[in-house]
Amino acid sequence: MRTWHRFTRNNWLAVGIFLSLVVVGATAFVVSVSQSKPRYEVEIRRTSHGIPHITAKDWGSLGFGEGYAFAQDHLCSLADQVIKARGERARFFGPGENNRHLNSDITFKALGIYEQAKAMLTAMPKDQREQIEGYVAGYNQYLREVTANGVGGWCRGKEWVFEITPEDLLAYNQSVVVTSTNFADQIATATPPGKETAQLAPVALPDFEQASNGWAIGSERSAGGRGMLLANPHYPWVGSNRFWEKHLIIPGKMNVYGVGLLGSPGVSIGFNSAVAWTHTVSAGKRFTLYTLNLVQGDPTKYLYDGKEREMTSKVVSVAVRQSDGTVKPIERRVFFSHYGPIVSLPGFGWTAKRAVAIRDANANNTTFYSQRVAMNLARNLDEFKQAHAQYNAMPWINTIAASADGRAWYADTSATPNLKPEAIAALLKRKDSDPLTKTAWDRGLILLDGSDSLFEWVSDSTTRAGVIPWSRMPHLERRDFVFNANDSFWLANPRQLLTGFSPLQGLEGTARSLRTRMNVVLLDDQRPQGAAGKDGKFTLDELSAAVLSNRSLSAELLRAEVAQRCQASPRVTLDGQAVDLRQACQILAAWDGKYEVNSIGAVLWREFITQYDPADLQRAGALFAKDFVAADPVQTPSGLTPDNGNEPQSLLKLARAVRLLATAGIALDTPLGKVQYSDKNGGRIPMHGGEGAYDGIANFVNYAPNTTTLEPFKAPERVKGSRFLGKDGYLVNRGSSFIMALEYTAQGPRAQAFLTYAQSGDPASPLFYDQTELFSAKKWRPILFTNAEINADPNLKTLKVSSGK
């Protein structure tokens, strides 16, 4: 934490300036350099764990304070992402492995992300524009104070750390909203056959896996009779998709607390005095693919309603650092249909007869920021809903909200392609008759016939062209609870299923994930032994305990049967070798089915259950005996499939898990916390929680590579035969991130939280891992919201910052 700031001699001479030390009670704070009539003035109060409470006189000053405080904690991440948004990664880092940086630069420039940012800034309401400009000014002031050589973290002293512009900030934020930026490799490598660059091969599809839980509790299930919220996004612990915690205040105008992605102004998940909300990634479709039937002899022309159309193209020039340090320009031509850019996908490459284009529902989603501001300012749930109706700009997330007056609301208002009913009917028919359409469907992709205008998106919205309007979005308000865990809208509450929507918004009447089912078990069980206690109504502590109960649904459904079979036949032959299962039988029989740090049996169960295919978790067959029943989506599928006497598959898979752990040097009775860990403190912090799909645990944790920033990291070496186990155990760097449990009371909101990977991005700071240790021990920290709570914090440090620029 900085108390004094260093300035060069030129800093002092450049501004007519002063430096003062002020004391409030026992707390000292610095008034930073300023001109006599500063444009921005802000007070930043840092409480325990480095949480900034930012109070400003106006929108520009609020942005200034947020940008300044953010830069203190995470300047490196935004600096990196600005380089990406500018299309300049190859300039500083070379073409990258498999031309990763080159492809990214080409695509960002071809899609015009920076041009969209310029237009957004011009069109923004005055207050919002001033907030963005202030954020950039605060970030830049901090960088001027410490210089690139004084920045904490992995970018210290790098040549690409420099002052940014409002357009830079908006371009980065827009790149997060736009879906097609994830197809950089596929867009940049799409070249017509017979051209010089035709040797570029289709590359793998991007990974869109993100997970979260969101619960809103209404007055009927709240012990206090008011609204409650559980926010539990499952996001990376590394890279730019981390959250940063903040409290933003303009007296009389705004008082909002929560988190946003790094470098994202305002609060994305959080609360004010009237409404609390969280988000989960939607199961709906954000884009459609189109097959283009090409004109014979000319692969850059395609047929549309029987007539020829010429593709358009854009020549993009990218500066690329060479191995000798010089920089040379490389040009690439990017092709577009009237739907959008041509993409080269595995199994869907550009041939003489066919090309594939992508249309992105978020391609011109330029009002998302305005919607966020409106949500932050909402004075009740009705105003919060109106923000969705007015802008209809949610990019790819569900919203789960609770209000002070005890209402619980779920909505999936994500940008979704709006197809005619006839087009949807034709799509569903084609997926059963056309092999290419079926292949795409099985991969979770929507492939439409681009030669037929039937499949054009319909524009019947007053806010966004071609996307489903607010009036046809699935949403539900109740007084008991609503939730989402990344499956579709259909099961937002088991007592009121949502039906009658486009399949592009999500599927209805289909099997849910084990994690979704566990969410319902935790929320809906009103027995005395349930998560809500004897009265079936949640207190704040009961809500907090529920999400970290670490109950495994796969274990609750199957463990006892597996243990019984094991005890009945404790020896099997696997690959010609005898395997003794007696210890495994005993461990599984004694295990309580939880993934706590001291749980013995969790490691063995994970290695057993992950021997099955992912599809087996949602249907009868190799794992479950009873198939999914739409009328009973929480309890089905269920029951362990009977074993064949000659080849007892369940026991053979258990034997494989036993042998794998032995080969890895892990004893069967090893507690989970000895194997599952975070290395954020330079050592090993034991981690509870589990993998959502297989373990079926609400508290999702696992490992994933950093695919956003270029921050150095060492990927764990996998143990052969295991889906998740590394040579050093189960490294955790993704999953439960910002966990917040909140209740509204007569005195206002009361909440507790973890930011599991902590507030700072600097590994040298104790604020890089302090909350990771709290999370490991399940020691919730209180959220400080009132002035009395903030000023009473024993670790309070207050800084006043101003600037005339």
Side-chain angles (χ1 to χ4, degrees):
M1 187 69 61
R2 298 183 183 276
T3 305
W4 292 89
H5 296 284
R6 297 176 181 174
F7 300 90
T8 66
R9 182 172 181 271
N10 288 337
N11 290 139
W12 289 106
L13 296 176
V15 273
I17 42 179
F18 62 91
L19 185 66
S20 303
L21 181 65
V22 184
V23 176
V24 175
T27 304
F29 63 88
V30 171
V31 179
S32 77
V33 296
S34 70
Q35 294 180 351
S36 57
K37 293 183 179 180
R39 179 181 178 185
Y40 304 117
E41 292 180 291
V42 65
E43 179 183 74
I44 304 170
R45 292 175 290 174
R46 293 266 191 175
T47 52
S48 296
H49 309 290
I51 311 304
H53 306 261
I54 302 164
T55 304
K57 63 179 182 177
D58 53 38
W59 289 97
S61 295
L62 185 69
F64 179 84
E66 185 180 353
Y68 188 96
F70 170 79
Q72 290 179 308
D73 292 342
H74 279 288
L75 187 144
C76 290
S77 178
L78 184 54
D80 170 282
Q81 292 300 286
V82 163
I83 295 299
K84 181 170 75 172
R86 285 184 171 188
E88 294 182 348
R89 273 195 162 173
R91 174 190 291 274
F92 293 101
F93 303 105
E97 184 179 1
N98 297 321
N99 286 329
R100 174 188 172 195
H101 304 328
L102 175 61
N103 291 342
S104 174
D105 292 348
I106 289 168
T107 299
F108 272 67
K109 289 189 173 185
L111 294 178
I113 299 298
Y114 212 83
E115 287 71 23
Q116 287 186 40
K118 290 179 180 178
M120 288 170 64
L121 187 66
T122 300
M124 272 184 166
K126 180 176 180 291
D127 287 348
Q128 294 174 29
R129 184 168 62 252
E130 289 178 350
Q131 187 178 13
I132 295 296
E133 291 171 345
Y135 189 103
V136 168
Y139 174 99
N140 288 341
Q141 175 156 320
Y142 177 74
L143 180 57
R144 285 194 298 271
E145 291 175 7
V146 301
T147 75
N149 291 323
V151 170
W154 61 281
C155 67
R156 183 188 298 246
K158 301 298 184 182
E159 62 175 321
W160 45 269
V161 177
F162 45 72
E163 294 186 24
I164 65 175
T165 68
E167 291 84 359
D168 289 331
L169 181 66
L170 287 176
Y172 159 59
N173 278 269
Q174 186 66 359
S175 74
V176 177
V177 170
V178 173
T179 310
S180 46
T181 53
N182 294 285
F183 286 86
D185 288 330
Q186 292 78 15
I187 292 171
T189 58
T191 53
K195 303 292 183 182
E196 293 180 2
T197 53
Q199 72 275 10
L200 295 172
V203 291
L205 287 168
D207 178 12
F208 292 105
E209 183 182 1
Q210 296 288 8
S212 301
N213 305 315
W215 305 346
I217 310 298
S219 57
E220 293 176 0
R221 295 294 309 283
S222 164
R226 293 177 171 85
M228 304 180 75
L229 184 85
L230 188 285
N232 182 210
H234 301 156
Y235 265 55
W237 293 17
V238 293
S240 64
N241 284 336
R242 283 172 287 179
F243 293 106
W244 185 68
E245 197 165 346
K246 63 192 95 169
H247 185 187
L248 306 179
I249 306 164
I250 302 177
K253 292 185 179 179
M254 170 184 276
N255 187 3
V256 62
Y257 188 109
V259 296
L261 292 178
L262 300 186
S264 181
V267 169
S268 298
I269 293 174
F271 66 94
N272 59 31
S273 62
V275 187
W277 67 94
T278 188
H279 299 297
T280 61
V281 175
S282 166
K285 306 305 179 185
R286 310 283 77 89
F287 59 88
T288 57
L289 300 173
Y290 287 91
T291 54
L292 305 178
N293 296 327
L294 303 180
V295 174
Q296 187 174 359
D298 191 341
T300 61
K301 290 182 179 179
Y302 60 100
L303 297 173
Y304 181 77
D305 283 348
K307 297 180 181 179
E308 294 184 7
R309 281 202 176 191
E310 183 82 37
M311 291 181 187
T312 59
S313 65
K314 181 187 295 186
V315 176
V316 175
S317 180
V318 172
V320 182
R321 185 180 293 271
Q322 307 298 302
S323 57
D324 61 1
T326 61
V327 176
K328 295 181 179 180
I330 289 181
E331 289 189 347
R332 183 78 57 81
R333 186 177 294 275
V334 178
F335 291 85
F336 295 81
S337 70
H338 75 282
Y339 298 111
I342 308 301
V343 290
S344 183
L345 305 176
F348 304 90
W350 195 340
T351 69
K353 294 183 178 180
R354 184 197 66 226
V356 177
I358 184 172
R359 184 173 180 185
D360 179 3
N362 284 302
N364 292 291
N365 184 352
T366 58
T367 57
F368 173 58
Y369 184 74
S370 294
Q371 179 168 338
R372 178 189 297 163
V373 171
M375 292 162 60
N376 287 187
L377 292 172
R379 294 170 295 182
N380 50 58
L381 184 59
D382 291 331
E383 288 190 2
F384 188 83
K385 290 182 179 181
Q386 181 57 33
H388 288 72
Q390 178 179 349
Y391 294 101
N392 198 29
M394 280 303 188
W396 30 259
I397 45 180
N398 301 286
T399 301
I400 301 93
S403 63
D405 60 354
R407 300 154 70 188
W409 185 62
Y410 161 82
D412 185 355
T413 61
S414 305
T416 306
N418 189 15
L419 294 179
K420 302 181 184 76
E422 298 85 353
I424 292 174
L427 166 65
L428 297 178
K429 183 178 179 180
R430 278 170 58 88
K431 80 175 179 63
D432 293 329
S433 61
D434 176 58
L436 202 60
T437 305
K438 183 180 187 306
T439 298
W441 182 275
D442 291 343
R443 295 185 187 181
L445 303 172
I446 302 297
L447 183 64
L448 304 173
D449 182 359
S451 68
D452 190 341
S453 61
L454 171 68
F455 295 100
E456 290 282 5
W457 296 3
V458 179
S459 292
D460 56 5
S461 170
T462 58
T463 52
R464 301 275 312 285
V467 301
I468 294 177
W470 156 259
S471 61
R472 292 196 284 113
M473 297 287 193
H475 55 96
L476 176 66
E477 180 180 325
R478 291 183 63 89
R479 287 280 180 172
D480 52 357
F481 71 87
V482 294
F483 86 102
N484 184 264
N486 305 114
D487 277 316
S488 80
F489 55 82
W490 179 60
L491 190 62
N493 181 290
R495 291 175 178 79
Q496 191 173 351
L497 302 178
L498 295 174
T499 59
F501 297 92
S502 166
L504 276 69
Q505 292 170 294
L507 298 181
E508 303 168 9
T510 58
R512 308 287 96 172
S513 72
L514 289 174
R515 180 165 57 84
T516 288
R517 295 168 63 187
M518 176 52 77
N519 272 240
V520 181
V521 169
L522 293 170
L523 286 166
D524 203 33
D525 186 355
Q526 298 184 57
R527 298 175 301 167
Q529 64 268 37
K534 293 181 180 180
D535 61 358
K537 296 185 177 184
F538 284 101
T539 65
L540 183 64
D541 287 341
E542 286 170 342
L543 192 70
S544 304
V547 74
L548 297 186
S549 61
N550 292 319
R551 292 169 57 183
S552 164
L553 187 61
S554 64
E556 292 186 11
L557 292 172
L558 302 168
R559 177 197 59 83
E561 289 186 77
V562 172
Q564 289 170 3
R565 287 188 194 178
C566 182
Q567 290 168 333
S569 302
R571 290 181 177 82
V572 297
T573 300
L574 178 67
D575 301 330
Q577 296 181 334
V579 180
D580 187 341
L581 298 178
R582 285 177 296 177
Q583 186 185 13
C585 303
Q586 295 169 359
I587 288 172
L588 291 183
W591 178 44
D592 64 1
K594 294 184 178 181
Y595 277 63
E596 306 288 9
V597 293
N598 60 355
S599 291
I600 295 174
V603 175
L604 174 60
W605 183 261
R606 178 177 293 162
E607 292 308 316
F608 159 72
I609 198 69
T610 54
Q611 296 294 321
Y612 291 89
D613 291 332
D616 293 332
L617 305 171
Q618 294 185 309
R619 66 187 181 192
L623 179 60
F624 287 114
K626 183 178 180 180
D627 206 356
F628 168 75
V629 178
D632 191 14
V634 179
Q635 300 301 324
T636 60
S638 63
L640 186 63
T641 280
D643 274 338
N644 182 307
N646 296 325
E647 291 192 9
Q649 289 302 312
S650 62
L651 296 184
L652 290 176
K653 292 183 187 300
L654 182 59
R656 200 171 297 280
V658 167
R659 191 169 67 183
L660 183 149
L661 290 171
T663 302
I666 299 173
L668 296 184
D669 60 356
T670 301
L672 178 65
K674 295 290 186 181
V675 183
Q676 184 167 274
Y677 69 99
S678 165
D679 61 0
K680 283 185 66 67
N681 66 348
R684 291 173 71 100
I685 302 173
M687 286 288 112
H688 51 81
E691 204 283 327
Y694 281 96
D695 299 331
I697 293 176
N699 179 27
F700 171 91
V701 294
N702 73 357
Y703 169 83
N706 177 13
T707 59
T708 53
T709 64
L710 300 183
E711 183 173 359
F713 76 97
K714 183 179 180 182
E717 183 181 352
R718 293 289 187 203
V719 171
K720 185 178 180 181
S722 175
R723 291 184 187 273
F724 302 112
L725 185 63
K727 295 289 186 180
D728 296 318
Y730 302 113
L731 174 62
V732 171
N733 76 345
R734 180 174 71 167
S736 289
S737 49
F738 177 62
I739 315 177
M740 180 182 73
L742 174 144
E743 66 172 346
Y744 282 103
T745 73
Q747 292 73 41
R750 186 167 76 97
Q752 51 194 15
F754 302 103
L755 188 61
T756 56
Y757 37 73
Q759 184 77 346
S760 173
D762 182 1
S765 169
L767 299 179
F768 183 73
Y769 59 84
D770 60 330
Q771 293 191 64
T772 313
E773 294 176 337
L774 291 181
F775 176 63
S776 172
K778 295 189 183 181
K779 291 183 179 179
W780 292 80
R781 60 169 178 81
I783 284 179
L784 308 181
F785 187 65
T786 67
N787 276 324
E789 292 168 341
I790 295 165
N791 292 331
D793 184 80
N795 299 307
L796 178 66
K797 292 181 174 65
T798 303
L799 178 70
K800 286 191 174 181
V801 188
S802 60
S803 171
K805 294 186 177 181

